[in-house]
Amino acid sequence: MATVAVDSLLQNPTLSFRPKAKLLLKPSRSLNCSRNRKLLFSRGACFCGFKPRWKIHVVKASSIDTALIDTFDASSSDDVLYKESFTVKRIEKVAGKIFIRLDQSKDQRNWQLTVGCSLPGKWILHWGVSYVGDTGSEWDQPPKDMRPPGSIAIRDYAIETPLKKLCEGDMVHEVKIDFNPSSAIAAIHFALKDEETGDWYQHRGRDFKVALVDYLEDDGNMVGAKRGFFGIWPGVAVQFFNMLFKAEASHANSQSSSSESKDSKNENRQLQRFYEEQPIVKEVSIGNLVSVAVRKSPDTTKNVLYLETDIPGDVVVHWGVCRDDAKAWEIPAAPYPPETAVFKNKALRTLLQPKDTGNRSRALFTLDEELVGFLFVLKLDDNTWLKFKGNDFYIPLSGASSVPGQHGESDTASEEISSKAYTDGIINGIRNLVSDLTSEKSQKTKIKEAQGSILQEIEKLAAEAYSIFRSSIPTFSEEAVLETKAPEPAVKISPGTGTGFEILCQGFNWESHKSGRRYMELKEKASEISSLGFTVIWLPPPTESVSPEGYMPKDLYNLNSRYGTVDELKELVKSLHEAGLKVLGDVVLNHRCAQFRNQNGVWNIFGGRLNWDDRAVVADDPHFQGRGNKSSGDNFHAAPNIDHSQEFVRKDLKEWLYWLREEIGYDGWRLDFVRGFWGGYVKDYLDASEPYFAVGEYWDSLSYTYGEMDHNQDAHRQRIIDWINATNGTAGAFDVTTKGILHSALERCEYWRLSDQKGKPPGVVGWWPSRAVTFIENHDTGSTQGHWRFPGGKEMQGYAYILTHPGTPAVFYDHIFSHYRSEIAALISLRNRNGVHCRSTVKIVKAERNVYAAIVDERVAMKIGPGYYEPPSGPERWSSVLEGRDYKVWEAS
Amino acid sequence: MEVSVIRSSSSQAKICKTELAYRDLRFCFGKNNDKNKILSRKPNSVCFESQITRLRKTGLRFTVKAVHSEPILESKSSTRSKSLDRVRLFVGLPLDAVSECNTVNHTRAIAAGLKALKLLGVEGVELPVWWGVVENLAMGKYDWSGYLTVAEMVEKAGLKLHVSLCFHASRQPKIPLPKWVLQIGESQSSIFFTDRSGQHYQECLSLAVDDLTVLNGKTPIQVYQDFCENFKSAFSTFIGSTITGISMGLGPDGELRYPSHHKAAKSGTITGVGEFQCYDINMLNLLKQHAEVNGNPLWGLGGPHDVPTYDQSPNSNCFFKDHGGSWESPYGDFFLSWYSSQLISRGNRLLSLASSIFHDSAVNVYGKVPLMHSWYKTRAHPSELTAGFYNTASRDGYEAVAEMFARNSCKIILPGMDLSDEHQPHDSLSSPELLFAQIRTACRKHGVEVSGQNLASGAPGGFEQIKKNMLGENMMDLFTFQRMGAHFFSPEHFPSFTEFVRSLSQPELHSDDLPAKEEEATESVRMSSDSDIHMQAA
């Protein structure tokens, strides 16, 4: 990525979230300036990393058209000792300017602030205002009438407005902000962002500030300030700009029209027109090639080294040779190529000669045969040095290390080798000093070189063996296969049920975003969660979101969230997989937050990779003026609801889910708010993304009569079942019915509720157990939201119920890591031990006022409630294995 | 001289001290060796010679040095080198390296793998040889062709071969017992181990039929013996040269134990106690006779009635309870003594058979003893009891085992070296490390050498644990890493294995950091030329 002149901004995390501008304004003026300058300076001498590309020389050869290189190619391969092309990345700096103009608009009443930039890029003005009387330096959102079209609100303190090209073909972008000087706005603050690179541009390390009242204290970042010294600060800018670019840098122009200041009509305001320019530098990374070939001279005993590059401008090679692997620079004997000079008695400097054709330059070096290596670095005409991974380029002349076989190595392998060769060199140098055992040293190096190639050989062989073993049935599955219990029929995995033996862990609560490192926290717990007996973990919604918890997604392809970065997420998923857990992504498909407004100022134009417009929004929510079809479900009113009936929307979402599977490694989905759209679309999505497990959140209210919950909740569970049916059974659903009934049963001591009229469990689990994901709490119902909290202190009864019963139980994170942990762990281990699965049979043996008891698969007996129950003594002998507050569990022996 | 130095010292070695001594040593020898010559001899192989060899040689050299001047160094060096022997690293070949129809599976992959291992400095490979493959169709009809091909490949690769004779079956990959044996088993299921509920374990024969003529007029022991003898003659050109070790299959998974668990435990969960396997007719007969001899005929009617089932915890029934469990009763002692002695006798039968066949060959004979570590921290050690090891808080059950191995001059292979207490399931009472230490102690007492193996499943932190076990106070002479296959060579695993192999020779790296210490930090792999020098000098 290109780095930027005003680099310190990138390191300032407050900027991207920008809670308060205060922080940015705090540092004292002098400190800020000097830090900034230093950074800029160091940039100037900076170059980028660089990788040898082992295979490119083939391509390269064809593009080189000189007779010379042709002879290289034509000569038998024995002659060519070495041939290589290196890709070099260098930073080219493009200078331009930001201009700021304050002027009266044509109607003479309003004023207009114009901010522009002369460099290409996708420029965004990130801005806000402060009002008269504001203490502190926080930003506020400007009044609506001040916001130019296309603006987006960033939280409640800033606006982002894209800069527009003045005209096609012109480089200049600008944006105009109209405002009424009689409003209470004291200043406009802004920073400029380049969306292409993600870089921020500010004014001397802080926001630009345009004061609209004259008594505002100048914090040092004011532009167009009166008192005649607004030329001073830009002057500083010119100074350090020059340091960077020496003579050829264009001077920043700062011309002022403030001398022609006019009193505005407003008596309180002493607004003055001004025009000011600030130099900016954008760094663009450009790739070039450096090709080197060595061959034996046909008629002499010497080697000929040919070096060519497509780097424009004057390129000077600083070079030397070495006679051993210590790589000490030495100046060889003449002849030298033309334009060569000795530099400080240490190296030779040769200016590459431009070639007749193409924008290339080259040089030819004749070297004695006994030399071991050719060392060089390149100096470009902007004083940039190009090196090899921070070290000198090293070209072996012996031919030993450029046998053709080595060109097949992977990049990484070869990089390791070369860096190793370097360290070897240093070490040997030291050795040389200390022990003066020259012959020993070179021997050692040889061994090490041999070792390096042996390691590569090992890697190659291992890769070969791997590919063959992998293509046949892996012999390693020993354990894994033994683990599946022999008596079970072949396990069929379906997205609605997984293996049927799944136990879910909800890996977060409503506060989990606060640490900012949730993914890393979970990673540490991966093996612990797995060892408790869970098989599936549900992670929080991963996308960029307007709300920190993640349920107001914006750019679906941006997976940096308050829970961590996309890389951390990948790392987490990898660890979870290693721990044997399947991972569910929480995907919000019902709604999505827009990034732009339509012509009516309504937020329904999306940004990011899926830049849908209002056709993707359902038509029947007046808030969002969608132009799609009517919603196929209920509407969620806080954000535009997505119209899943649109082919393009579904296609994009399918691609997105597939991408999540591939890129992140998610195994399945927890689908948010599926009440909002038809289950048939869910089927479509699941068929496309082929999850291992999927569960939808279909949450609506149970039936109550006069405030008391009805015993019969068939209508409620029927709605959930209808949804599962619509998905064709490809997804399960959270068993909200069971949770609701457990609430009443436990809270009011009405355990009779736990049997329906037909003697079956009264929730979804009674009707379609394999698709019921039973739970007692989640981030919405419990945690700090507590929308529908499970009766306090009775959680273990709830778990004793769901962890012994059919369905797929889900355990809430807060409960796992609480004092309930050991009891929950024991219940899970009992469930696993007895092979209770989502289709297990349950026989309710008691459902009375104060006790409920059931026998599952004739292997597990359980009771909850204060009443008495003991399993019958029959052919099975029951032994009590677990007992807690108002619950007890037995196993048959 | 070297040998005497090593054997005479009795204190424990610490590697760090060795290094110290070794460095000094190097000063003495470093300069006047003709390194060029040495190097030219081995220009091309990476030497991962373990430090043990070097240290032993160090010991040798130290005595020389001591003669020169410094007695202090000598004492150091001798303590160093005493317990150090050379750890040889083996890697297991795929279980199904040879298919049922006696062809070599994925030959090319194995060939590439062998080459990679050789370059890496691995000593050899372990090859499971299955009864169900070689003698599959009819008794006495052996087909070794597939295994001979593998042996040739191994020899060609310059590696050693450790052969495991497998008289059991494998579930995955599926390698059953010989067809003719299974046919007999269909009509005569009592040849298999049987549990309380009457379920048969069809992956090996019950030890109770060892000496019964159940296999077409022959006893299983005779059949095993014929098999071994035939193996010996078929592989005579390899034995003693390429083949350096032979493991005798002793029961389920080749291990000396009862199949107290018919299914493998689910990982991450706490393993249950397992069940006694004494319910086939022949076992019950033996038990009955034994009870009558002991004057308690009523004790001979079956196994203990108050034991938990396979997956249960010890406390779910009375037998294994920590306090007042029936295992401590006279009946418990009666039963457990008998049950465990049967196992030791079976081990003795097979190992004496093997050692009598192979005693005149230059190979070591090994037997595998399981690491039944679940519930080790309870008093009753139920998992060990059901597996046939009468080892409790009050009785050492491994003494007799080690003694039996010693009697037959056999070495013990201990699997599960990669298991650490730290990674055992939460709240479990298992302790692989303590059990491991106990078995090692018994072995040391009886002079039985122990070699290690890991579980093929890759325990977390396994490499570290293996290293700890290998390089700790009790050195091992051989370690077999399980097992070659797709996972083994996968990018997720192979680099860490390489790292592991290299780290085994870590001390060697240290020894080289004169005069430039920086080296160890910066270099990824390095072979020390010094080791070559020593090898030559030694």
Side-chain angles (χ1 to χ4, degrees):
Chain A
M1 190 193 78
T3 36
V4 156
V6 209
D7 198 33
S8 59
L9 296 185
L10 294 175
Q11 293 152 7
N12 189 343
T14 54
L15 192 78
S16 39
F17 300 84
R18 188 67 78 77
K20 305 285 172 198
K22 205 194 300 183
L23 278 172
L24 291 168
L25 296 172
K26 256 189 185 148
S28 81
R29 186 181 309 172
S30 60
L31 179 73
N32 206 27
C33 280
S34 65
R35 182 183 59 182
N36 212 11
R37 202 181 311 174
K38 206 183 293 169
L39 270 166
L40 276 167
F41 203 55
S42 68
R43 278 296 140 210
C46 189
F47 9 78
C48 274
F50 144 108
K51 236 184 196 179
R53 297 230 313 251
W54 294 99
K55 283 176 181 164
I56 203 162
H57 65 287
V58 182
V59 182
K60 185 71 193 159
S62 64
S63 68
I64 290 174
D65 51 359
T66 56
L68 186 86
I69 205 79
D70 284 346
T71 58
F72 266 96
D73 288 342
S75 57
S76 77
S77 59
D78 293 346
D79 277 358
V80 179
L81 298 173
Y82 182 92
K83 208 161 84 176
E84 204 58 84
S85 288
F86 306 98
T87 311
V88 198
K89 284 231 173 70
R90 68 196 167 83
I91 302 299
E92 194 155 279
K93 299 190 184 77
V94 189
K97 61 195 178 190
I98 294 174
F99 59 85
I100 304 142
R101 183 191 302 120
L102 187 67
D103 206 349
Q104 251 174 319
S105 60
K106 288 168 195 129
D107 60 9
Q108 299 289 309
R109 234 176 298 136
N110 279 349
W111 281 69
Q112 189 175 56
L113 176 72
T114 308
V115 179
C117 177
S118 68
L119 283 179
K122 200 176 165 197
W123 297 101
I124 304 283
L125 187 75
H126 182 96
W127 62 287
V129 298
S130 53
Y131 289 98
V132 176
D134 273 2
T135 55
S137 312
E138 296 171 17
W139 291 17
D140 279 305
Q141 269 187 0
K144 292 229 160 117
D145 55 5
M146 201 170 148
R147 304 178 194 173
S151 300
I152 312 164
I154 303 299
R155 310 212 182 283
D156 53 355
Y157 53 77
I159 292 290
E160 285 195 345
T161 309
L163 273 66
K164 297 215 173 76
K165 278 189 183 173
L166 280 182
C167 56
E168 211 46 53
D170 193 351
M171 287 292 215
V172 177
H173 294 62
E174 66 171 42
V175 63
K176 292 186 196 307
I177 298 168
D178 292 314
F179 61 93
N180 184 342
S182 58
S183 67
I185 295 171
I188 297 172
H189 308 261
F190 66 90
L192 213 53
K193 183 169 93 172
D194 183 0
E195 282 231 307
E196 276 175 359
T197 59
D199 298 332
W200 290 82
Y201 296 82
Q202 288 184 312
H203 184 49
R204 294 200 292 275
R206 294 193 249 157
D207 307 320
F208 291 90
K209 180 162 142 191
V210 177
L212 307 182
V213 290
D214 55 1
Y215 50 82
L216 217 58
E217 188 194 338
D218 182 1
D219 294 313
N221 58 341
M222 209 179 279
V223 287
K226 300 196 306 174
R227 290 168 285 178
F229 73 110
F230 100 92
I232 292 180
W233 292 112
V236 172
V238 169
Q239 250 174 21
F240 60 73
F241 187 72
N242 282 344
M243 280 191 255
L244 268 174
F245 291 96
K246 305 279 170 187
E248 43 140 27
S250 64
H251 283 253
N253 298 319
S254 50
Q255 34 170 281
S256 158
S257 54
S258 62
S259 51
E260 313 161 19
S261 67
K262 254 190 213 167
D263 285 348
S264 89
K265 287 178 184 166
N266 188 318
E267 295 175 356
N268 301 328
R269 305 286 175 116
Q270 295 295 312
L271 273 187
Q272 291 177 353
R273 294 178 182 177
F274 71 88
Y275 175 79
E276 184 177 329
E277 288 181 0
Q278 294 279 329
I280 67 161
V281 179
K282 185 171 166 176
E283 297 189 347
V284 187
S285 153
I286 295 174
N288 287 104
L289 284 174
V290 177
S291 309
V292 179
V294 184
R295 74 174 169 90
K296 275 208 162 63
S297 171
D299 26 52
T300 64
T301 55
K302 302 201 169 192
N303 290 326
V304 181
L305 186 144
Y306 178 79
L307 190 149
E308 183 182 292
T309 180
D310 59 355
I311 300 170
D314 288 346
V315 180
V316 175
V317 185
H318 276 236
W319 61 283
V321 295
C322 59
R323 294 179 187 278
D324 54 45
D325 285 306
K327 293 181 190 161
W329 285 58
E330 206 177 292
I331 297 179
Y336 307 134
E339 295 276 353
T340 298
V342 176
F343 178 70
K344 289 185 183 167
N345 255 339
K346 281 187 205 151
L348 291 163
R349 281 207 292 202
T350 302
L351 179 68
L352 294 186
Q353 300 300 304
K355 272 176 61 171
D356 306 336
T357 51
N359 300 321
R360 300 163 178 279
S361 48
R362 63 188 170 101
L364 196 64
F365 305 87
T366 308
L367 303 161
D368 280 346
E369 203 182 26
E370 75 269 12
L371 296 173
V372 171
F374 178 84
L375 299 151
F376 70 96
V377 295
L378 298 175
K379 189 177 172 224
L380 310 187
D381 54 8
D382 59 354
N383 267 349
T384 302
W385 294 84
L386 285 179
K387 292 191 175 190
F388 176 83
K389 291 164 74 75
N391 302 319
D392 305 332
F393 285 90
Y394 174 74
I395 307 296
L397 298 175
S398 58
S401 45
S402 64
V403 282
Q406 283 196 335
H407 286 272
E409 301 142 13
S410 69
D411 276 354
T412 39
S414 43
E415 270 183 46
E416 265 171 35
I417 307 301
S418 40
S419 65
K420 201 172 85 58
Y422 172 72
T423 46
D424 282 359
I426 300 235
I427 289 152
N428 283 322
I430 298 166
R431 281 238 167 110
N432 211 357
L433 289 174
V434 177
S435 59
D436 201 29
L437 294 170
T438 324
S439 62
E440 178 195 352
K441 178 200 64 193
S442 65
Q443 285 298 340
K444 278 191 179 174
T445 338
K446 267 188 195 155
I447 291 165
K448 278 163 197 159
E449 273 166 15
Q451 236 185 330
S453 61
I454 286 167
L455 277 176
Q456 291 155 26
E457 183 68 15
I458 291 173
E459 267 173 35
K460 239 192 295 180
L461 289 164
E464 185 188 345
Y466 175 57
S467 66
I468 302 170
F469 276 126
R470 193 176 47 167
S471 60
S472 49
I473 301 158
T475 53
F476 170 69
S477 51
E478 249 180 310
E479 259 269 312
V481 178
L482 281 182
E483 270 177 25
T484 58
K485 304 204 167 186
E488 301 302 338
V491 179
K492 189 177 160 278
I493 292 171
S494 93
T497 61
T499 58
F501 292 89
E502 311 295 350
I503 302 179
L504 254 72
C505 160
Q506 178 176 6
F508 62 99
N509 62 26
W510 196 246
E511 302 298 309
S512 297
H513 63 88
K514 292 214 167 134
S515 70
R517 51 185 303 276
R518 182 59 178 175
Y519 293 149
M520 292 298 99
E521 291 165 3
L522 272 178
K523 188 183 165 205
E524 287 157 21
K525 296 224 185 288
S527 58
E528 196 180 342
I529 290 170
S530 164
S531 72
L532 286 168
F534 289 101
T535 61
V536 178
I537 181 166
W538 157 21
L539 298 185
T543 55
E544 177 197 27
S545 163
V546 169
S547 63
E549 298 85 9
Y551 288 100
M552 299 285 269
K554 218 167 122 187
D555 179 359
L556 298 186
Y557 280 93
N558 180 354
L559 299 189
N560 296 309
S561 69
R562 292 294 184 89
Y563 299 105
T565 65
V566 60
D567 289 333
E568 288 167 342
L569 175 61
K570 285 183 192 169
E571 207 182 317
L572 168 65
V573 170
K574 188 162 168 276
S575 313
L576 292 168
H577 283 165
E578 278 163 6
L581 291 163
K582 300 285 177 184
V583 182
L584 300 190
D586 198 328
V587 287
V588 183
L589 300 177
N590 176 68
H591 52 268
R592 191 181 157 199
C593 294
Q595 268 160 343
F596 307 104
R597 295 200 284 188
N598 68 1
Q599 63 280 9
N600 301 331
V602 170
W603 295 98
N604 62 11
I605 310 291
F606 301 95
R609 180 154 148 196
L610 302 181
N611 52 349
W612 304 332
D613 59 14
D614 49 6
R615 282 171 303 158
V617 177
V618 295
D620 47 356
D621 185 344
H623 294 93
F624 295 104
Q625 302 180 358
R627 290 198 291 131
N629 297 311
K630 282 187 71 175
S631 175
S632 53
D634 296 328
N635 272 334
F636 173 80
H637 293 291
N641 282 235
I642 293 171
D643 178 11
H644 294 263
S645 68
Q646 304 273 4
E647 185 72 35
F648 76 93
V649 169
R650 287 207 306 280
K651 178 175 159 288
D652 281 351
L653 288 178
K654 280 188 255 182
E655 272 175 20
W656 178 60
L657 291 171
Y658 185 77
W659 176 80
L660 287 177
R661 290 269 280 148
E662 292 292 304
E663 186 70 16
I664 306 304
Y666 283 121
D667 302 293
W669 317 119
R670 181 268 182 186
L671 303 151
D672 186 61
F673 200 81
V674 292
R675 258 172 68 202
F677 53 107
W678 180 46
Y681 297 134
V682 170
K683 173 182 184 305
D684 211 11
Y685 298 140
L686 297 188
D687 286 348
S689 59
E690 296 181 347
Y692 172 90
F693 189 89
V695 54
E697 180 208 31
Y698 193 99
W699 180 12
D700 64 0
S701 177
L702 279 71
S703 322
Y704 293 84
T705 307
Y706 302 122
E708 188 161 317
M709 183 187 280
D710 295 346
H711 180 204
N712 183 331
Q713 293 292 346
D714 288 357
H716 185 260
R717 55 174 161 169
Q718 187 62 55
R719 288 194 294 277
I720 297 177
I721 294 224
D722 287 346
W723 179 82
I724 303 172
N725 249 326
T727 73
N728 210 12
T730 53
F734 286 111
D735 190 347
V736 183
T737 321
T738 293
K739 172 172 163 73
I741 292 168
L742 280 171
H743 275 232
S744 287
L746 271 52
E747 208 158 28
R748 307 159 62 108
C749 199
E750 294 172 345
Y751 289 87
W752 48 266
R753 289 180 182 274
L754 288 170
S755 173
D756 69 7
Q757 277 91 340
K758 292 188 174 154
K760 294 192 150 208
V764 179
V765 72
W767 277 358
W768 200 349
S770 66
R771 299 300 187 274
V773 176
T774 48
F775 72 109
I776 68 164
E777 205 79 290
N778 63 31
H779 58 286
D780 287 323
T781 64
S783 190
T784 47
Q785 297 199 90
H787 290 321
W788 195 32
R789 200 181 295 284
F790 200 77
K794 309 203 174 193
E795 290 86 353
M796 279 319 300
Q797 288 188 62
Y799 282 121
Y801 182 89
I802 68 169
L803 285 171
T804 54
H805 276 55
T808 302
V811 183
F812 187 39
Y813 190 85
D814 287 5
H815 294 153
I816 302 169
F817 293 95
S818 72
H819 58 286
Y820 292 137
R821 178 202 166 103
S822 59
E823 286 177 86
I824 290 174
L827 281 168
I828 292 175
S829 114
L830 173 131
R831 183 181 181 91
N832 281 330
R833 189 160 66 229
N834 289 287
V836 176
H837 52 90
C838 67
R839 297 179 182 83
S840 287
T841 56
V842 55
K843 193 176 107 201
I844 297 175
V845 290
K846 232 174 191 182
E848 297 170 0
R849 187 186 63 81
N850 61 357
V851 64
Y852 165 87
I855 293 175
V856 179
D857 280 351
E858 297 175 6
R859 301 203 57 178
V860 174
M862 60 81 68
K863 73 126 198 177
I864 54 175
Y868 171 83
Y869 170 78
E870 278 291 326
S873 49
E876 315 100 331
R877 283 184 306 168
W878 293 101
S879 47
S880 156
V881 283
L882 261 178
E883 197 172 345
R885 188 174 157 197
D886 289 342
Y887 76 92
K888 196 166 176 182
V889 187
W890 297 260
E891 271 176 344
S893 49
Chain B
M1 179 163 110
E2 171 185 344
V3 173
S4 66
V5 172
I6 293 163
R7 294 287 141 98
S8 65
S9 69
S10 58
S11 61
Q12 302 291 326
K14 289 260 155 62
I15 284 156
C16 55
K17 283 199 208 155
T18 316
E19 280 164 43
L20 205 67
Y22 188 54
R23 263 177 222 170
D24 294 339
L25 183 81
R26 188 181 173 279
F27 267 134
C28 299
F29 289 85
K31 288 186 189 174
N32 46 26
N33 265 295
D34 180 355
K35 294 187 180 190
N36 293 339
K37 191 166 126 206
I38 297 150
L39 292 167
S40 64
R41 281 186 172 190
K42 286 191 81 177
N44 219 349
S45 79
V46 184
C47 175
F48 288 110
E49 188 72 11
S50 70
Q51 83 282 18
I52 295 103
T53 314
R54 257 184 314 103
L55 292 173
R56 182 162 57 183
K57 289 168 182 146
T58 313
L60 168 66
R61 220 163 264 108
F62 258 123
T63 58
V64 176
K65 182 167 162 59
V67 174
H68 286 303
S69 60
E70 297 178 63
I72 296 167
L73 278 180
E74 191 216 354
S75 67
K76 257 194 207 163
S77 76
S78 54
T79 54
R80 276 295 86 64
S81 47
K82 69 127 190 96
S83 70
L84 301 176
D85 202 349
R86 185 176 159 179
V87 178
R88 292 168 300 146
L89 183 65
F90 278 67
V91 173
L93 289 174
L95 288 173
D96 58 352
V98 171
S99 71
E100 228 177 305
C101 38
N102 256 298
T103 53
V104 180
N105 282 332
H106 17 255
T107 322
R108 268 183 52 225
I110 291 179
L114 290 175
K115 227 169 138 191
L117 293 179
K118 175 66 184 173
L119 290 173
L120 204 51
V122 165
E123 169 96 6
V125 290
E126 181 257 4
L127 172 66
V129 171
W130 299 91
W131 189 22
V133 171
V134 175
E135 199 182 355
N136 191 20
L137 298 175
M139 186 167 84
K141 211 179 139 208
Y142 306 101
D143 184 351
W144 302 101
S145 54
Y147 293 110
L148 283 165
T149 311
V150 176
E152 274 163 32
M153 288 168 67
V154 173
E155 185 168 66
K156 223 173 105 196
L159 290 164
K160 299 296 182 198
L161 187 59
H162 181 110
V163 172
S164 300
L165 301 177
C166 304
F167 297 109
H168 59 277
S170 156
R171 267 188 216 178
Q172 181 61 40
K174 194 164 169 50
I175 305 170
L177 291 180
K179 277 184 188 139
W180 60 276
V181 174
L182 289 177
Q183 272 162 15
I184 292 170
E186 273 168 30
S187 57
Q188 221 183 319
S189 59
S190 59
I191 62 170
F192 298 116
F193 284 111
T194 307
D195 67 11
R196 186 164 51 154
S197 58
Q199 285 178 31
H200 304 299
Y201 179 82
Q202 306 212 347
E203 279 150 47
C204 69
L205 301 186
S206 165
L207 61 83
V209 298
D210 274 354
D211 286 323
L212 301 180
T213 54
V214 291
L215 299 179
N216 300 335
K218 283 197 174 188
T219 66
I221 288 287
Q222 283 168 333
V223 171
Y224 299 149
Q225 179 164 9
D226 293 349
F227 185 92
C228 292
E229 277 167 355
N230 203 279
F231 166 80
K232 190 182 170 189
S233 64
F235 286 82
S236 53
T237 54
F238 297 103
I239 292 177
S241 53
T242 297
I243 298 178
T244 55
I246 292 170
S247 296
M248 189 67 188
L250 301 177
D253 293 335
E255 296 173 344
L256 180 66
R257 65 174 167 91
Y258 291 93
S260 52
H261 284 278
H262 284 193
K263 308 163 213 151
K266 207 176 171 192
S267 69
T269 57
I270 296 171
T271 317
V273 295
E275 289 190 18
F276 291 112
Q277 307 289 321
C278 57
Y279 294 88
D280 64 85
I281 299 165
N282 305 302
M283 280 297 277
L284 287 172
N285 280 342
L286 291 172
L287 176 60
K288 196 170 162 218
Q289 289 164 21
H290 182 66
E292 282 162 4
V293 169
N294 273 273
N296 271 312
L298 289 180
W299 285 359
L301 301 178
H305 67 283
D306 51 354
V307 286
T309 55
Y310 284 109
D311 294 330
Q312 286 184 324
S313 63
N315 287 331
S316 39
N317 214 327
C318 298
F319 192 81
F320 299 119
K321 284 207 164 137
D322 255 3
H323 297 285
S326 337
W327 62 276
E328 281 189 296
S329 67
Y331 165 75
D333 181 55
F334 158 82
F335 175 78
L336 294 170
S337 306
W338 169 78
Y339 189 70
S340 63
S341 67
Q342 290 299 312
L343 185 70
I344 292 175
S345 317
R346 119 78 61 110
N348 188 43
R349 282 193 289 274
L350 290 171
L351 289 177
S352 64
L353 180 162
S355 62
S356 70
I357 291 174
F358 296 110
H359 76 276
D360 56 348
S361 318
V363 290
N364 292 315
V365 179
Y366 292 80
K368 199 153 108 184
V369 173
L371 203 63
M372 305 302 295
H373 56 83
S374 321
W375 309 109
Y376 187 81
K377 290 181 193 160
T378 60
R379 290 189 62 240
H381 298 201
S383 295
E384 292 163 79
L385 297 184
T386 55
F389 297 92
Y390 189 5
N391 187 52
T392 64
S394 46
R395 185 184 192 277
D396 187 338
Y398 293 100
E399 285 272 334
V401 176
E403 191 274 328
M404 184 269 289
F405 271 83
R407 198 186 322 145
N408 293 299
S409 316
C410 292
K411 302 184 181 192
I412 285 184
I413 295 177
L414 275 180
M417 292 256 170
D418 48 344
L419 297 175
S420 54
D421 289 3
E422 188 190 343
H423 290 102
Q424 291 307 304
H426 235 73
D427 307 327
S428 85
L429 291 164
S430 85
S431 176
E433 291 178 36
L434 288 177
L435 176 57
F436 181 64
Q438 190 195 347
I439 299 177
R440 298 281 297 255
T441 308
C443 289
R444 200 161 45 237
K445 191 165 157 195
H446 292 274
V448 176
E449 280 185 52
V450 173
S451 53
Q453 230 175 63
N454 58 317
L455 296 181
S457 50
F463 284 124
E464 280 312 302
Q465 189 64 22
I466 294 171
K467 231 156 62 187
K468 196 168 132 196
N469 282 328
M470 286 174 75
L471 303 178
E473 296 180 350
N474 305 292
M475 301 299 305
M476 277 180 290
D477 74 322
L478 182 138
F479 184 86
T480 308
F481 189 87
Q482 303 295 16
R483 177 177 288 285
M484 190 189 283
H487 173 76
F488 180 82
F489 286 114
S490 68
E492 298 82 51
H493 177 268
F494 194 72
S496 48
F497 177 76
T498 312
E499 187 70 17
F500 162 71
V501 175
R502 279 166 16 193
S503 68
L504 288 180
S505 48
Q506 192 77 41
E508 182 162 330
L509 298 186
H510 288 273
S511 72
D512 192 34
D513 55 18
L514 280 181
K517 275 196 180 172
E518 297 84 332
E519 211 164 354
E520 74 177 78
T522 49
E523 276 199 83
S524 47
V525 189
R526 174 156 42 86
M527 115 171 115
S528 140
S529 54
D530 297 346
S531 67
D532 286 319
I533 294 157
H534 288 301
M535 284 189 318
Q536 198 210 23

